Amino acid sequence: MLLEAQQIGFRYDKGPWLFRSVDIAINPGEVVGLVGPSGCGKTSLGRILAGFEKPQEGSVKLGGKPLPASGFHPVQLVFQHPEKAVNPRWTMRRMLQEGGEPDKGLLSSLGIEPDWLSRWPNELSGGELQRFCVARALGTGTRFLIADEMTAMLDAITQAQIWHAVLAEASRRDIGILVVSHERKLIDRICSRVVDTAEWR
């Protein structure tokens, strides 16, 4: 089931185009890197692929069909700042249930302690909260993951633990990943293919 953006063009309101005529495709199980300078549209493309934004031009298809408009979305996005992606009125257990019943093995590999499930978002550190966001994004219905600077705010040890867990889970379930990052070392280490936004100009 291919995730494919064809001839995508996007801009905010009537401002300048961030990009036009962009094509990108991600295969199941493939880890693709997306690199480029700040302001070039990397995050906007990720949001379009996950259904958070609508392009002014072009289309996004999953398995040859338009992205679903309701229900659990098969393309999940993990943001850089987890505090912006959680409901402060929900416990962590309830948050995880948005993605389906959480897999205990995945929670363990992400370093999530069982007693954290009853906590509220403000009782967790940024790194702990991001682990939950990653676990939720890897719910049972997820086919593709957009990781937008997913571990940029974390220390090296936490980054390594999260990526090890994510890549293992993606390999096991044949999940395709788009890694949006300014860290070229990370991109080169984990991605099988790299898309450079310089090619959009």
Side-chain angles (χ1 to χ4, degrees):
M1 182 178 287
L2 184 71
L3 176 62
E4 187 175 22
Q6 298 175 318
Q7 295 294 292
I8 293 292
F10 182 78
R11 62 181 175 181
Y12 290 102
D13 298 322
K14 294 183 179 180
W17 290 94
L18 282 176
F19 49 80
R20 299 187 79 177
S21 302
V22 168
D23 295 323
I24 188 169
I26 308 167
N27 294 292
E30 185 180 26
V31 183
V32 179
L34 180 62
V35 298
S38 297
C40 69
K42 301 189 303 297
T43 290
S44 295
L45 179 61
R47 290 175 61 86
I48 288 169
L49 289 172
F52 283 88
E53 297 279 3
K54 297 292 185 183
Q56 283 84 14
E57 299 176 346
S59 63
V60 179
K61 294 184 179 180
L62 181 64
K65 299 178 180 179
L67 294 175
S70 60
F72 183 78
H73 205 287
V75 184
Q76 287 289 302
L77 172 63
V78 180
F79 299 92
Q80 178 178 355
H81 300 288
E83 67 278 2
K84 297 180 180 179
V86 299
N87 188 330
R89 297 182 179 86
W90 286 7
T91 64
M92 305 316 297
R93 177 178 284 106
R94 183 178 178 186
M95 188 200 91
L96 283 181
Q97 289 171 344
E98 279 190 301
E101 194 60 34
D103 180 89
K104 292 182 179 179
L106 175 61
L107 299 186
S108 178
S109 67
L110 284 168
I112 294 174
E113 301 289 343
D115 65 302
W116 294 357
L117 295 170
S118 60
R119 294 185 183 179
W120 303 91
N122 64 0
E123 296 178 313
L124 298 173
S125 69
E128 291 166 350
L129 199 57
Q130 189 68 310
R131 295 168 197 262
F132 277 98
C133 290
V134 172
R136 176 180 59 181
L138 290 171
T140 54
T142 299
R143 305 298 298 272
F144 290 88
L145 179 71
I146 313 298
D148 186 6
E149 301 285 6
M150 184 174 75
T151 58
M153 60 169 283
L154 308 177
D155 63 80
I157 293 175
T158 304
Q159 284 189 30
Q161 181 180 28
I162 288 178
W163 275 114
H164 179 78
V166 167
L167 294 174
E169 185 74 2
S171 177
R172 184 177 73 84
R173 293 167 49 192
D174 212 25
I175 294 173
I177 304 176
L178 180 68
V179 184
V180 181
S181 179
H182 66 276
E183 296 182 55
R184 191 60 193 241
K185 288 183 179 179
L186 173 69
I187 293 283
D188 291 340
R189 186 169 70 249
I190 70 174
C191 298
S192 57
R193 179 164 58 89
V194 178
V195 176
D196 193 321
T197 61
E199 300 171 5
W200 300 354
R201 306 299 176 182

